[in-house]
Amino acid sequence: MAAPRDNVTLLFKLYCLAVMTLMAAAYTVALRYTRTSDKELYFSTTAVCITEVIKLLLSVGILAKETGSLGRFKASLRENVLGSPKELLKLSVPSLVYAVQNNMAFLALSNLDAAVYQVTYQLKIPCTALCTVLMLNRTLSKLQWVSVFMLCAGVTLVQWKPAQATKVVFLQVLVASTLLLWLSIQTTS
């Protein structure tokens, strides 16, 4: 059987990279602003819960559109959600961890500068790479290892003297590490 051909253009991939980068930066800045304003603070748990409910509704809507009919939609839900309690239990563990992570993000942004938070938050990438190598016995290319170490070095530089970290240094580290990771993904796929 022939391997599926990659029909996604480079321009579209760059567009997606730019949109995701802008969304992450805008999310952090907006969240930081709302957590440090003089107005009455909202509960972070409520914001996380509303976000997850919106994601659930979107997912159900996409599933309904893909199945095409109400009968197939119900059958799909019955089979994949209610018919698989073990799988549902397995999915609940990362879901709970994700909820805790999102609540911790609110706490961190209430107490840290947005630039320091955003760069430090990128440490999830080296952690994921390390877990992938140790737990899943996968290998990373030299370019991927270089990009992971460069990301760690950038985080270290920003954390070294966070009060003196400028927006230019922050953007340089973020863009360079993102581009290197994107390049490493492109060379392996």
Side-chain angles (χ1 to χ4, degrees):
M1 181 178 210
R5 201 161 167 244
D6 189 16
N7 292 332
V8 181
T9 65
L10 178 64
L11 185 62
F12 182 72
K13 289 178 182 180
L14 288 173
Y15 168 76
C16 289
L17 178 67
V19 168
M20 295 299 287
T21 303
L22 288 173
M23 278 180 34
Y27 170 80
T28 303
V29 171
L31 193 59
R32 170 73 179 157
Y33 174 75
T34 61
R35 298 307 290 175
T36 58
S37 65
D38 292 336
K39 298 176 184 173
E40 189 174 334
L41 285 180
Y42 53 89
F43 291 114
S44 61
T45 51
T46 304
V48 169
C49 186
I50 289 172
T51 303
E52 295 307 314
V53 167
I54 290 170
K55 287 185 206 177
L56 175 68
L57 293 175
L58 287 172
S59 298
V60 167
I62 290 170
L63 180 63
K65 185 178 185 295
E66 284 183 0
T67 54
S69 72
L70 185 61
R72 281 187 266 165
F73 173 70
K74 286 181 181 178
S76 179
L77 280 180
R78 203 174 304 118
E79 177 186 336
N80 296 315
V81 178
L82 301 175
S84 306
K86 283 185 180 179
E87 293 300 316
L88 196 61
L89 187 61
K90 288 178 189 176
L91 286 175
S92 67
V93 174
S95 299
L96 290 172
V97 172
Y98 186 67
V100 169
Q101 174 192 350
N102 285 338
N103 282 298
M104 291 298 150
F106 276 88
L107 180 66
L109 275 169
S110 299
N111 297 302
L112 291 174
D113 183 47
V116 172
Y117 166 81
Q118 185 66 23
V119 172
T120 306
Y121 186 70
Q122 297 307 313
L123 284 176
K124 68 182 178 182
I125 296 170
C127 290
T128 303
L130 196 59
C131 288
T132 300
V133 169
L134 296 176
M135 297 169 135
L136 301 177
N137 295 323
R138 300 239 174 116
T139 58
L140 297 179
S141 69
K142 289 180 183 178
L143 184 59
Q144 287 172 322
W145 278 116
V146 167
S147 61
V148 165
F149 284 121
M150 185 176 168
L151 181 62
C152 290
V155 170
T156 304
L157 286 174
V158 170
Q159 290 295 341
W160 195 273
K161 294 184 180 179
Q164 296 175 358
T166 65
K167 292 177 185 176
V168 174
V169 171
F170 164 69
L171 287 174
Q172 287 172 343
V173 168
L174 188 63
V175 169
S177 60
T178 304
L179 285 175
L180 264 176
L181 283 169
W182 181 76
L183 273 172
S184 66
I185 290 168
Q186 293 305 309
T187 57
T188 57
S189 59

